[in-house]
Amino acid sequence: MGTARALDRGSGAGGLDRPPRAQALASVALSHETHGEGPGLVLLHGVGLDRHLWDRCLPRLAARHRVTLVDLRGHGASPAAAAGVSLAELAADVAALLDGPTHLVGFSLGALVAQQLGLARPELAASLTLVSSVAGRTEEERVAVARRRELAARDFGASAWAAVDRWFSPGWRAQEPGLAQDVLGTLLANDRASYLACYDVFATADAGLWPLLPRIGAPTLAVTGADDPGSTPEMSRRLAGRIPGGRAVIVPGARHLLPLESPEGLTDVILSHTGQECHRP
């Protein structure tokens, strides 16, 4: 989960605060890389992670798509995120990399970015695959995420350890202790200010998206692990019910990190949704 080579393009601007109104937002140049040929597909990671979250899914996706992996603002090799950064700004950064309809695949925070793009730049959204996404949090769920944010501000190391404990079941951690350590290392390597700024977006942006979700026109799939305590199966069902034509897939026996824990099954779901399904030998 380290830093890979970056193939950076220049920054641009996009109107990513519509609806309800258009507003030009300056983007920053994201560190990114591209693999494969075919219909465009972009992979977006979650808070505190980076584009290497998708390493296990990449080979099969790149066999059917031109895949762009990015480090979101404040993550990996991309520029830092300032306090108060908005979801619209994070989406504008990604939009600056896209030159036409693209299949948007977002994990956790990345799923919120994909939803924002589907609303503000529908011409760029060939489809949405929302992996381990939060949606329409209840008051109890909002309190829980606020407490995790407070822990991250007070004791970042303890917060990172707690995240790994949530994400890895005891059996998976025993089976792949090196992977759990890599994920922990990626979390601990984050710039603290950038992490907290982006965590604020993750903790609050679903509330602003919720009333707008019925405006999404792109084919949308929400997928999460049956045992994910934060991005719950009920949240994926909420998304599927809120977005016209939306569908939900629940992966049995999995927690939050589907791209690492269930890469084959998740890749099957993505390729089926993008119309590039292939049968493995």
Side-chain angles (χ1 to χ4, degrees):
M1 303 283 293
T3 301
R5 63 186 181 88
L7 304 177
D8 295 322
R9 298 180 186 175
S11 61
L16 291 203
D17 196 26
R18 63 177 194 271
R21 71 181 190 278
Q23 178 182 350
L25 294 171
S27 64
V28 302
L30 298 179
S31 178
H32 66 285
E33 56 188 277
T34 301
H35 301 266
E37 300 292 337
L41 183 148
V42 65
L43 296 171
L44 308 172
H45 60 78
V47 177
L49 302 174
D50 60 24
R51 62 185 182 248
H52 294 286
L53 172 73
W54 297 102
D55 282 354
R56 294 182 173 187
C57 297
L58 179 60
R60 288 185 56 219
L61 291 177
R64 293 289 183 273
H65 285 279
R66 183 175 184 270
V67 178
T68 300
L69 304 99
V70 304
D71 289 339
L72 295 173
R73 188 190 305 201
H75 295 81
S78 286
V85 67
S86 69
L87 181 64
E89 289 173 309
L90 297 181
D93 297 341
V94 177
L97 298 177
L98 309 181
D99 54 11
T102 302
H103 296 285
L104 308 175
V105 181
F107 168 84
S108 196
L109 172 62
L112 299 180
V113 174
Q115 291 167 54
Q116 174 70 16
L117 282 166
L119 287 163
R121 297 292 302 272
E123 75 280 7
L124 296 178
S127 72
L128 306 183
T129 303
L130 310 176
V131 182
S132 304
S133 182
V134 297
R137 286 186 178 101
T138 65
E139 184 58 30
E140 182 180 0
E141 289 163 343
R142 292 194 182 286
V143 169
V145 76
R147 286 174 177 164
R148 290 196 290 272
R149 199 279 185 196
E150 290 170 3
L151 177 60
R154 185 175 68 254
D155 188 337
F156 192 80
S159 173
W161 275 104
V164 171
D165 283 342
R166 284 195 311 275
W167 296 345
F168 284 83
S169 67
W172 184 26
R173 190 166 181 173
Q175 182 179 348
E176 294 194 83
L179 180 62
Q181 193 64 39
D182 284 348
V183 170
L184 178 64
T186 298
L187 290 172
L188 291 174
N190 275 277
D191 171 74
R192 305 299 195 261
S194 290
Y195 178 90
L196 293 173
C198 291
Y199 202 95
D200 284 340
V201 175
F202 169 71
T204 61
D206 65 301
L209 287 169
W210 183 254
L212 303 178
L213 293 179
R215 303 184 189 182
I216 290 178
T220 299
L221 176 70
V223 54
T224 199
D227 300 330
D228 190 333
S231 303
T232 64
E234 179 55 31
M235 288 184 178
S236 284
R237 296 186 184 104
R238 288 174 203 165
L239 281 170
R242 188 74 172 161
I243 297 172
R247 297 185 299 119
V249 171
I250 310 302
V251 180
R255 292 197 182 189
H256 190 57
L257 296 176
L258 289 180
L260 295 175
E261 186 176 10
S262 301
E264 292 296 327
L266 178 59
T267 303
D268 286 342
V269 167
I270 294 170
L271 291 174
S272 177
H273 186 54
T274 64
Q276 298 295 315
E277 185 174 20
C278 61
H279 297 288
R280 285 175 285 145

